[in-house]
Amino acid sequence: MSSSQWGDGQGRSHMSAQAMDAKRKENVAYEYLCHLEEARVWMGKCLEEELPHATELEPALTNGVILAKLAHFFAPHVVSKKKIYDIHLEKYNANGLHFKHTDNINYWLVAMEKESLPTIFYPTTTDIYDRKNIPKTIYCLHALGIFLHRQGKAPPVQDLVGEAQFTDEEISKMQADLDEANIQMPAFNKIGGILSEPLSDAEKQAAAEAEKAAAEAEKLRKMEAAASLVNDLVKGDDLAALQAALESHHLGIGSLNAEDMPFIKAALEAALDAKDGEPLTIDEIRSAVEKGIEDAERHRQVVAATNLVNELANGDDLAALQAALENPLLGIGSLNTEDMPFIKTSIVAGVAAKDSEPLTIPEIKSAVEKGAGDAEHHRQVVAATNLVNELANGDDLAALQAALESPLLGIGRVEVDNVSFIKSAIVAAVQAKGGEPLTIPEITLAIEKGNTDADHHRQVVAATILVSELSKGNDVDALKQALDNPLIGITGVAAEKMEFTKKAIASNVDEKGSPLTIEEIQTAVNQGNMDDKHHREVVNATHLISEMARQGDLDALLKALQSSLLGLPKISAENLPFIKTALIDALAGKGGNPLTIFEIKAAIEKGNKDGEHHREVQRRVKIMNDYIRADDEDKLYEALNDPFLAMKSIKKENMSFYMKMCSELMETKKRDLTFEELQAAIDVDDMAGDGTKAQLSSLQKFLHLLEANERDYEEEREIQNVKQKVVSTIRQQQELEENLNIMDIKIGLLVKNRLDLDDVVHQQTKLKKRSALGGPSKGLKSLSKESREKLEGYQHLFYALQTHPNYLARLIFQMPGGRTTRFIENVIFTLFNYASNQREEYLLMNLFESALKLELKTMDNLEDIVKGNATVIKMVITFNRGARGVSSLKELILPLVQRVINDDEIKINVNPVDVYKAWINQRESETGESAGMPYDVSPEQALSHPEVKERIAKTTKMLSDVTLDFVNNLTESFTKIPYGIRYFSMKMRQALAEQFPGSSKEDILKVIGNLLYYRFMNPAVVAPDAFDIVELSLDKGLTNEQRRNLGSIAKVLHHASANKMFDGENSALSALNTVIESAHQKFIKFFEYASETEDAETHYNQDKYAEVTQLAKPVVYISVKEICNTHTLLLEHEDQITDNEKDIMHKLLKDLGPVPEIHDILGAQYAHPGPSAPQDAVAQWEERVAEGGKSEISLTLKSAVDITNTDDKDNILNVFLATKRMAAGLLQAQPGQNLKEILDTAATPDQEAEFVRIQERKREMEARRTAGEDRSDSSGEHKTEEPAPAPLLTLELVKVSLKENLEILENEKLVDASNNYQSILNSMAKDIRNQHRHRQQRKKELAGLQHTLSALTAKGKYHEDQREYYQMYVDACLSNLTKPKNKKKDTTRKTVKYNAAKLHEKGVLLEIEGLSTGQFKGVTFEIESGDTGKFNVYAKFMGVSMEKVELIFEDLLQLQYEGVSVFKMYGCAKINVNLLVFLINKKFYGT
């Protein structure tokens, strides 16, 4: 758009007021664009450079570079170019504005002040840098232009209004920018009037000085222009133009020599390069010109020196040539006079190679180096030949070989085996020359002769080696041919004696260990000839011994053995029978052929040993008989396990059993027992242990041990009573502990003012109620008849669940995620009585193993096990957190944890950000003032503080030492880990290897490590108080510092167990990576050893037949509610827990029917009050039923199939057990050779009578046991009459049943009639041994249960103390509530109010995004106390009310505890957590 369109007022009278206003704004925008163009043109002239277009000038001014350059133009004494920041705009173009750009603006303002421009025109720094008022800046530039022009320091500012052209878009955009900025446009037309005020005398003087300075500046400008021209010409190739520019009078250099210009130009270029392209100053130009002139003169001198060398090289004056070469101008240095002939030759060759052209300095230097090298090589060749001649007279063959192989001689490689021969040839050649040294050709001839001599020697050696090698083979003809080789010249070789010749040579070779020489071969041949003669004599003597041994003539045999020809050892008369036996055995082994001398010697040695062994056995057997008579079990045990006797393995715990058998046998024999009889006395145990055939005669003597006695029944009853108390106590304490934990949380919330006291009192009431519960469990006899019948069905059901692990294993994985843990604790562990005896723990191990196999099928890789939080692993860990597990953990970890807790010097915190925040929190909490440092920092920023580095460095070393102590102690204590978790680790390791065959051993062991360390040990290290590892008083727990120490140690231990290095966010701990690497190897070995142990059957002494030998039936203690819940779960998932339609589980569930109501099981006293009963009565009834459902019932578990019922042919195991019971009674009454014979032989009347006595004795013992059970049932309710006893059986009836059972078992291949049913006898022998072990184990089990009960009692006392402690606290709170109430409760809410500036001053408010601190006074915060522990925050931002924010004081304390220093409020206000807590405590709590 043209300027005329904006300059005239045509048609304005016809415009509306709105249109006139729009036109006015367009005029203002156009005029401002013109002023921008006027300023741009004026500054461009001053700076002599093209500036951005007027529409782009505003942003171009913000970095201050143009303004600073302008300041340098009119005030160079104030602003030098070096001061200007980012003068080439590199940083601005790359990253935009930087705060240092404001320095440029300030330079301009200072320069204007120095020039006395009235300050009325000055803009502020932010007006330019932040573009707050660019029009004011343009206004100032106009005033500056007019001001400087009047002083003659600058060109005039043109008036371009009406001349400058802008597009409609440019004008519209400027108009919009001005409207948005809402800035009052300065009066550009009044600048002249303001500056036209009269000048004072001082101003006039200043103007005069300014004119003088302007003249000086003009002179300087011209000098700089001349210098600038030189700088430009240096970059080109016009030497004449460059010379003319340098000779300008403005530079004061004067005239120059044209020949010197290339050197001057090079010096100028070097100066420019040294300044990285920055223009040279006048002084720098002058200095470079002087250097170029000097370089030109030096060049001429060097050319003269090289010409002299080329000239002298054609003469014979070596001294003159050496002096010319040593001229410093050539830079060669001093030369060796001896080298000069070679150097002169090299130079002449160089000139010839250039067709007689003179050499340059580099070529001269190269020729000199070659000549010196030739001279040195000549000297080395002479030295090499002298060395060879010298070494030939010595003994150092290696040195001689090295000298001969010297490249200087050009001989090449010399075979090391030939050096000695070459040496001899050289010595001979030197002697032939009368002692004169050999030349290189003569040395070469000597080497050739030495090589020939060496080849001949090797042929001779090869011939001797061949003889030695053939002596080891079977080719006698080849050996003879080798001995006849004329090269070695052996004599006396005879074909018929070659066998002995061969042996003699081979013997000497073996003795020497290397091939024989010619002389040694000759000696061996002579020896072979002699051996051949001696051999014939020995053969005759050995044949005689063989014959005498066959005839059995001991005297003749002794005489033959004593022949001096054979040289046999001295023969003892007492050993002669054993020697004769050994000779006969040896002859039998050879089929009757005569023995060799070596076989005779071996037989003599064996006979002597057999004789000595026989006498020693007799001596030791006599001693064992003495021990038996003295009833000394310990010494007999040592004697029986004597390795010399090589008797079968005997266990210490069975010695009383062995002693009893041996004593009975000795009394029967009326004499000492023989070795064979002693061995037979222990065969019963061996037969049971390793399947050795049981001897019926031995077995019958010990069948009475299978019967139980009164003491057995008493111990079983005591075990059941103690077990019931243990299980009940565990269940009560679990519930009490859970309620205590809830109480602990509620009191904690009360302290934080988050909970009403009434809630705490209500929880305390529940605690009192639970602590009063207890009492013995009810048996079946305490229930109604209907309930008893129902529960008998549950006895069968729970027996099946115990003994068939797949049911529960499948049921576990049908549980929803939230119910799994409860199901495991309330059902599974209860069902197995918390593994209170070996049988139950063994069955629980089977369940774990079955569940593991099922769960592994759902996983794709090893990582799923570690990251998936496997259910079976949770089960194992939960189980092993019981009393035994805690005891093991305590033994493992307590000493280590105790050292950390008790050592006040251990303070570990190695997280840079945490250490940094702790440091800041400490300072702010102590002072109540802001630390003035940022809160959100990276680890790198945190580590930049020396205090943080110092704290971390100190604790890293401490952490390393403590961790290694943990590692060394833990990895050496794998035997202390509970057997249950070690066994599961072994099974898990085997299952993983089978499931993931491609996984490495180490990867599998890492998974095992996740179980053993991370899941089992690590939590106890992190929180030892939570796992009863350490005992602390109720009012004192672990400090935060102690917990952090243990947590840091546990973290490093976990990384070491998993071989996980510290990097990334944990890079501050990277110094511990070497510790992790070494510790991981120890952990891997630890995991391997810990996951290797004996099988469960051996450890728990259990197998599929063990139950038949147990006196008491298994009992489980379970609540009525749990029974119903379990029944419900089984019905819901019946199809999932078994996929076999004929499975016994279906029958059991069908017999039980639907799940009964709890009150139906409990009996009539819990009957419903009726539909018409009041609501309160129904509620009380529901509460009674709920409480009754928690009552425990003892269920004696038994199989649904009676093992004495042989009609059930499907239950093979039960048939086998019943068969053994009947056989035991039969064998005690009727003896025989074997079971089959007894079955086929009719019993005598005496045997029938004995069988009746045996049955009566068993019935009497069973009656006593039943009476004992009745006494143990304290309730005595609903007693029922016992059924009449079954009639006594006869032996013949038992035999009929036995035969039927044996037929069934034989069809199942469990017994075999052909071996007289030996497997039945072997199993009975095992039962005898197990019965003895069971009695010992029962004592151990009783002691263990009593110890567990004692520990539970102590723990219960602790919980009771804790309950009383809480009661005291609640009583105190109640006391405060009951104080005199004459004072009204203050229900007013306290309020404090601050503006943001005040909170910022206190350090509580850090910043508000989008607002400057100057605007903080317009923001207010009002904090009002709300419900207990809650605060409402109301805020106004610039008069605008914000939504209410609720602060919960506990949440603030939690943030402070977690080390969070800053949080946001309203999405923009950053608040200091520590100082806000400080403020609330001070204003609302008075602390």
Side-chain angles (χ1 to χ4, degrees), residues 112 157 398 469 545 592 639 856 945 951 1055 1113 1124 1248 1251 1258:
M112 290 192 297
V157 179
E469 291 177 347
I545 292 174
L856 284 182
H945 296 275
R951 292 189 181 195
H1055 277 244
K1113 298 299 180 183
C1124 295
E1248 288 285 3
F1251 187 56
K1258 289 181 179 180

Side-chain angles (χ1 to χ4, degrees), residues 516-589:
L516 305 181
T517 64
I518 294 175
E519 292 76 12
E520 291 168 340
I521 291 173
Q522 183 63 66
T523 301
V525 169
N526 296 338
Q527 180 64 41
N529 292 335
M530 294 175 61
D531 291 344
D532 178 72
K533 178 182 177 182
H534 181 264
H535 170 70
R536 290 179 174 82
E537 296 173 350
V538 169
V539 167
N540 294 331
T542 56
H543 284 186
L544 178 61
I545 292 174
S546 298
E547 184 61 30
M548 293 301 102
R550 270 193 294 265
Q551 294 179 7
D553 189 341
L554 294 180
D555 293 335
L557 176 61
L558 179 61
K559 183 177 179 181
L561 290 169
Q562 291 175 341
S563 171
S564 59
L565 182 64
L566 300 178
L568 297 174
K570 186 177 180 180
I571 305 300
S572 169
E574 60 184 359
N575 289 341
L576 188 59
F578 298 97
I579 293 174
K580 185 199 77 160
T581 301
L583 288 169
I584 292 173
D585 291 342
L587 284 167

Side-chain angles (χ1 to χ4, degrees), residues 964-985:
L964 285 176
D965 186 35
F966 269 71
V967 170
N968 292 333
N969 281 275
L970 290 178
T971 55
E972 293 173 2
S973 306
F974 67 88
T975 56
K976 297 178 182 178
I977 298 175
Y979 170 80
I981 199 167
R982 289 188 63 191
Y983 173 77
F984 181 78
S985 298

